[in-house]
Amino acid sequence: MSSGDEYLLTFYTTKGLYRCRAVVLEQSMQQPTTAVKLASEMEKYERRRFYRMGCIIPLTYAVLTAEQKEQYASLMECGTEEERLLLWEQFEENAEFFDGTVLDISGGGMRFNSVLPRQTGEFLLLRPDLPAQIRSELPLLLARLISSQPTKSRQEVYENRVEYIDISAVRRKVLICYIFQEERKKLYRD
């Protein structure tokens, strides 16, 4: 690091992430400090790749074993919709299902509440209660749990964040189109 070098700085705050460019003015060898001058305005920075829509949608989900996850993922690649639904019926017979409420949904994942804590890294098979037209094209979503934390308002409710895995571009597009269609409806009502 030398005088005149330009860097992109990211600030983590309680109100979110902010970014700006900065130029190094001087660096002290006696103390581990560097003086910089901001070269641009602070801008709010979003790391998300997909728009997130706030919602309240009932959800049913099951926790999958690693073997079940591989079985489902392989059917997603080369199986028919009937084979996937047959596999879902097998899971329904053998798996324990839980209820939740989707709080927001995007093309990359979702956030939902449940009454039981989950373990980070678990594989979940999600069935959000989407409109029938969307559900026919996107009946199930395979996801990996990123985090599960007790909510601040009620300790007996957990907020879970998941990211979709093994979702095809076509299925993701169906979900994204649904999200934007719902947002347009909200804007029209408002």
Side-chain angles (χ1 to χ4, degrees):
M1 190 181 299
S2 60
S3 183
D5 287 352
E6 192 171 299
Y7 289 89
L8 183 62
L9 303 179
T10 304
F11 298 91
Y12 295 83
T13 71
T14 56
K15 297 191 183 224
L17 293 175
Y18 290 86
R19 271 195 170 167
C20 71
R21 288 189 346 265
V23 177
V24 175
L25 296 176
E26 63 181 277
Q27 186 175 9
S28 172
M29 296 298 184
Q30 297 163 339
Q31 297 177 331
T33 59
T34 302
V36 297
K37 176 183 175 186
L38 299 183
S40 69
E41 294 290 320
M42 288 277 201
E43 296 177 357
K44 184 117 170 110
Y45 174 66
E46 292 286 335
R47 291 187 290 188
R48 293 181 191 91
R49 288 181 40 210
F50 301 101
Y51 174 77
R52 187 187 309 181
M53 177 183 76
C55 58
I56 297 178
I57 300 172
L59 167 78
T60 303
Y61 69 94
V63 179
L64 302 181
T65 64
E67 181 182 301
Q68 289 172 322
K69 179 252 178 199
E70 292 302 321
Q71 189 180 14
Y72 185 78
S74 68
L75 279 177
M76 287 303 297
E77 286 179 21
C78 58
T80 65
E81 194 62 37
E82 289 101 19
E83 289 173 321
R84 286 193 287 277
L85 290 174
L86 181 62
L87 184 61
W88 177 257
E89 289 171 8
Q90 291 172 355
F91 290 151
E92 283 184 321
E93 292 173 9
N94 302 324
E96 185 175 2
F97 281 81
F98 306 96
D99 292 325
T101 303
V102 178
L103 303 174
D104 63 49
I105 189 167
S106 77
M110 71 173 65
R111 180 172 57 104
F112 68 94
N113 281 352
S114 66
V115 293
L116 296 171
R118 305 277 16 130
Q119 294 294 318
T120 300
E122 285 182 329
F123 296 106
L124 306 176
L125 198 53
L126 309 168
R127 183 170 47 189
D129 190 16
L130 299 173
Q133 174 189 347
I134 304 301
R135 202 171 42 239
S136 68
E137 296 183 55
L138 196 69
L140 308 168
L141 293 163
L142 182 61
R144 184 178 61 84
L145 189 69
I146 297 171
S147 72
S148 182
Q149 303 286 329
T151 60
K152 293 176 183 168
S153 59
R154 297 185 347 199
Q155 291 297 319
E156 67 274 4
V157 175
Y158 294 85
E159 182 179 275
N160 305 287
R161 296 173 186 272
V162 298
E163 67 179 345
Y164 309 131
I165 54 176
D166 297 325
I167 185 170
S168 69
V170 172
R171 290 166 56 93
R172 190 182 310 272
K173 185 177 179 181
V174 167
L175 185 58
I176 291 169
C177 287
Y178 161 73
I179 290 167
F180 282 109
Q181 182 181 28
E182 290 299 306
E183 282 298 304
R184 279 193 297 274
K185 287 179 187 175
K186 284 182 190 176
L187 287 172
Y188 183 74
R189 283 191 304 259
D190 292 344

